[in-house]
């Protein structure tokens, strides 16, 4: 008996979840839900229906876990609590500052419905958060560092696209290698925003746009670029398509800490990701946590959880016995 | 109210646990238990008694968690089940092949006593195992790699010391950098034992020993060295003391895997440790899991667990609310 998964929202993330389900033999895709006209949505899996998100309620007894693939800005704050009453749900809510509020809303809804919700699943928040927690618990006397990249920042790419004269753009966030090395060497540097990351923009100009003015405006944009060393490259639309159409990302979580009676020994814990496709990796994490939600629900658990609350064994298809034998 | 910890066995690991307790404000050391004459054991913490291990039962109601710091070969297979009946216990049992048997014995004892046991805690088994599990659950279509070092292997150092003509020795296990790089580049290499690690020995000879013969014997030692490229350096006793008295270790757990409808995207997950002191880092992991055992026990749980079964939040001194706000 496989776990029946519903996908709510069919963009890059939803498609990624569909691919992840194909890789997990204990899961099957039951239905995809969309706000668009279902007939206009072409999915990859044969024989699986695409339905209107408004009709999700009709699937209450035919879906074990609904994976929400909307955006954190406006979709998830509404959708997760609404669907959490009817389904076990997983989301990738990533507005760090609003997690406590989102958690409270989803928890109330999930308890009302007697269902399990797991929020903020992915890699940051998600796997990076887990690594921060483990490393802090092990090395209480230490210092945390998170570097992102090299990867495409959707938010920063959008910001560049809003500059007058810009037709299209892609922005890469890049960790400063020398700072990363200083952390690895146990130097515990205090790093400014500028010392942690650089930003690189590939920009396609509108015809007749003033390149110098565009570059100036990008580099001085508050919040997004003014605190960073930013490089701007002007390229053709063809070049952007050819060399910058992927959505790679990744990053590093490090903790350097001391042990010993007088803190005489140093240690470095480092976790890193190098991802060809940010949404597909996030989707793969979502799928693993869907398995956990299903199992917890079978045990009678209800309410909201995060990656911090889920014992790792729940993520694996293998039994406890197999895990102890093969992976411990 | 702090968690009262007992330490059973006061070698490098026991001393490391003592140091870790000092770093965790919610823990206090209640007593140290030893097989030696207690009067001969000098500990670091003032005012804490050193007792005979045979008298541990008298402390049944005064210790929340007993951390077992004996060896996996002969101590823990006996001690953990024996003490698991009376105490919540943590051990670092690391004989991978015998984990299922040890688990069964400890589980029976812990259930009999209504206590929580967590076995095989440390970094391998332990943090490395966790990273193997998480990475496998996220990327089902992939390949695992574990490299150890650079670090001192106690077992290999002992093997060299048993060679005739050797007065003292230290053996380092070193990952082959080019193989590590091939994995990082997503080449999914099939690696032989020789291609994964090299071994470097620093040897102090007995007076009049035949260096060439010793070197030959080390390099051809089955199981320990014959499958590796081994370098042997002959040094003075002073040099060994001065440059090789530390117990550093570490290593790398990597998983490279594919996602996408046709496996078109590659990803790399890497976890690494660089440790000045192998026993002190292991001890720090033991202390964090002691907190988890205490909390689970307060919740009424009994039986044996491994790192796979413990939700990460149990390791942290912080509340769920604080964790979601600060670390997610």
């Amino acid at each position: 008996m496989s776990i029946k998964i519903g996908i709510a929202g069919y963009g890059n993330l939803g498609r990624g979840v569909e691919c992840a389900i194909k890789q997990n033999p204990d899961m099957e895709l039951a239905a995809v839900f969309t706000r668009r006209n279902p007939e206009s949505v072409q999915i990859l899996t044969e024989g699986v229906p695409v339905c209107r998100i408004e009709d999700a309620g009709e699937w209450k007894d035919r879906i074990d876990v609904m994976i929400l693939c909307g955006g954190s800005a406006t979709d998830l704050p509404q959708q997760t609590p609404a669907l959490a009453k009817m389904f076990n749900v997983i989301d990738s809510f990533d507005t760090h500052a609003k997690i406590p509020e989102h958690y409270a809303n989803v928890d109330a809804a999930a308890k009302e419905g007697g269902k399990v919700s797991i929020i903020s699943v992915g890699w940051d928040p998600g796997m990076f958060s887990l690594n921060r927690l483990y490393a802090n618990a092990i090395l209480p006397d230490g210092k945390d560092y998170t570097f992102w990249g090299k990867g495409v920042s959707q938010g920063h790419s959008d910001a560049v696209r809003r500059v007058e004269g810009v037709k299209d753009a892609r922005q890469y966030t890049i960790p400063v290698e020398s700072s990363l090395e200083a952390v690895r060497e146990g130097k515990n540097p205090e790093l400014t925003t500028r010392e942690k990351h650089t930003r690189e923009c590939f920009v396609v100009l509108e015809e007749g746009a003033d390149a110098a003015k565009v570059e100036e405006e990008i580099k001085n944009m508050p919040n997004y670029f003014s605190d960073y060393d930013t490089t701007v490259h002007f390229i053709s639309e063809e070049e952007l398509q050819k060399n910058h159409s992927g959505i790679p990302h990744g990053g590093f979580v490090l903790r350097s800490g001391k042990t010993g009676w007088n803190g005489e020994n140093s240690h470095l814990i480092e976790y890193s990701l190098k991802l060809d496709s940010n949404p597909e990796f996030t989707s793969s994490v979502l799928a693993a946590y869907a398995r956990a939600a299903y199992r917890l629900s079978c045990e009678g658990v209800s309410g909201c959880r995060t990656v911090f609350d889920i014992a790792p064994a729940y993520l694996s298809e293998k039994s406890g016995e197999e895990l102890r034998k093969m992976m411990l």
Side-chain angles (χ1 to χ4, degrees), chain A residues 22-41:
Chain A
K22 189 188 175 196
Q23 290 188 320
N24 285 290
D26 61 338
M27 299 182 190
E28 63 179 277
L29 181 59
V32 170
F33 299 89
T34 179
R35 281 181 305 204
R36 289 177 274 169
N37 172 6
E39 282 168 24
S40 74
V41 176

Side-chain angles (χ1 to χ4, degrees), chain A residues 194-228:
Chain A
R194 193 176 298 274
E195 286 165 339
K196 289 186 74 184
H197 299 94
T198 56
R199 300 197 174 277
E200 191 169 20
C201 305
F202 292 86
V203 176
V204 180
L205 289 174
E206 303 272 15
E207 235 185 84
D210 179 344
K213 193 164 160 276
V214 166
E215 180 167 346
E216 204 54 22
E217 198 171 325
I218 294 170
K219 288 186 170 176
N220 293 313
M221 199 185 296
N223 301 319
Y224 286 92
F225 292 100
S226 63
D227 294 338
Y228 298 86

Side-chain angles (χ1 to χ4, degrees), chain A residues 114-137:
Chain A
K115 299 288 181 181
V116 174
S117 302
I118 311 179
I119 62 161
S120 301
V121 174
W123 59 275
D124 196 1
M127 298 313 296
F128 273 20
S129 323
L130 276 179
N131 276 281
R132 285 188 282 262
L133 193 166
Y134 277 119
N136 272 270

Side-chain angles (χ1 to χ4, degrees), chain A residues 40-270:
Chain A
S40 74
V41 176
Q42 187 67 43
I43 69 169
L44 300 163
T45 315
E46 278 182 36
V48 168
V50 179
C51 311
R52 285 161 22 103
I53 184 82
E54 295 81 4
D55 300 335
E58 297 168 18
W59 287 79
K60 203 174 165 339
D61 301 320
R62 287 179 284 169
I63 283 175
D64 294 317
V65 186
M66 184 74 91
I67 301 183
L68 279 67
C69 299
S72 296
T74 56
D75 301 336
L76 299 177
Q78 306 295 329
Q79 283 180 359
T80 313
L83 291 169
K85 288 179 198 170
M86 293 186 282
F87 299 97
N88 300 312
V89 299
I90 308 289
D91 82 16
S92 61
F93 185 77
D94 67 358
T95 313
H96 290 261
K98 292 187 176 167
I99 286 174
E101 184 189 336
H102 188 59
Y103 178 89
N105 294 339
V106 176
D107 190 48
K111 280 178 178 156
E112 190 187 321
K115 299 288 181 181
V116 174
S117 302
I118 311 179
I119 62 161
S120 301
V121 174
W123 59 275
D124 196 1
M127 298 313 296
F128 273 20
S129 323
L130 276 179
N131 276 281
R132 285 188 282 262
L133 193 166
Y134 277 119
N136 272 270
I138 295 168
L139 296 175
D141 179 11
K143 201 161 157 44
D144 288 311
Y145 296 88
T146 301
F147 292 86
W148 292 275
K150 181 183 175 175
V152 172
S153 162
Q154 224 61 60
H156 286 78
S157 298
D158 289 344
V160 174
R161 281 188 210 105
R162 285 191 297 265
V163 171
E164 206 189 309
V166 172
K167 191 174 180 189
D168 202 354
R170 197 60 47 105
Q171 193 268 181
Y172 295 92
T173 306
I174 304 167
V176 174
E177 193 62 38
S178 59
S179 299
L180 198 44
E181 278 312 313
V183 173
R184 286 192 183 125
E185 285 162 20
K187 291 180 180 165
N188 286 340
E190 291 292 338
L191 299 170
T192 63
T193 300
R194 193 176 298 274
E195 286 165 339
K196 289 186 74 184
H197 299 94
T198 56
R199 300 197 174 277
E200 191 169 20
C201 305
F202 292 86
V203 176
V204 180
L205 289 174
E206 303 272 15
E207 235 185 84
D210 179 344
K213 193 164 160 276
V214 166
E215 180 167 346
E216 204 54 22
E217 198 171 325
I218 294 170
K219 288 186 170 176
N220 293 313
M221 199 185 296
N223 301 319
Y224 286 92
F225 292 100
S226 63
D227 294 338
Y228 298 86
D229 290 336
T230 303
T231 316
V232 178
H233 307 277
F234 294 104
I235 61 174
S236 69
E237 202 159 8
E238 295 67 41
E239 208 180 330
L240 191 79
Q241 282 306 318
K242 192 173 156 237
N243 300 330
H244 304 284
S245 61
I247 321 174
H249 219 313
F252 306 81
V253 174
L254 306 103
R255 185 166 175 89
S256 107
K258 293 186 175 304
T259 66
W261 195 248
N262 297 304
E264 59 272 28
N265 287 309
S266 294
H267 307 275
L268 183 75
I269 304 174
E270 176 170 348

Side-chain angles (χ1 to χ4, degrees), chain A residues 286-305:
Chain A
L286 291 170
Y289 277 92
R291 182 180 289 124
Y294 173 70
R295 289 180 180 173
L296 287 168
S297 179
C298 291
E299 291 176 8
V301 168
S302 73
C304 188
R305 299 287 187 276

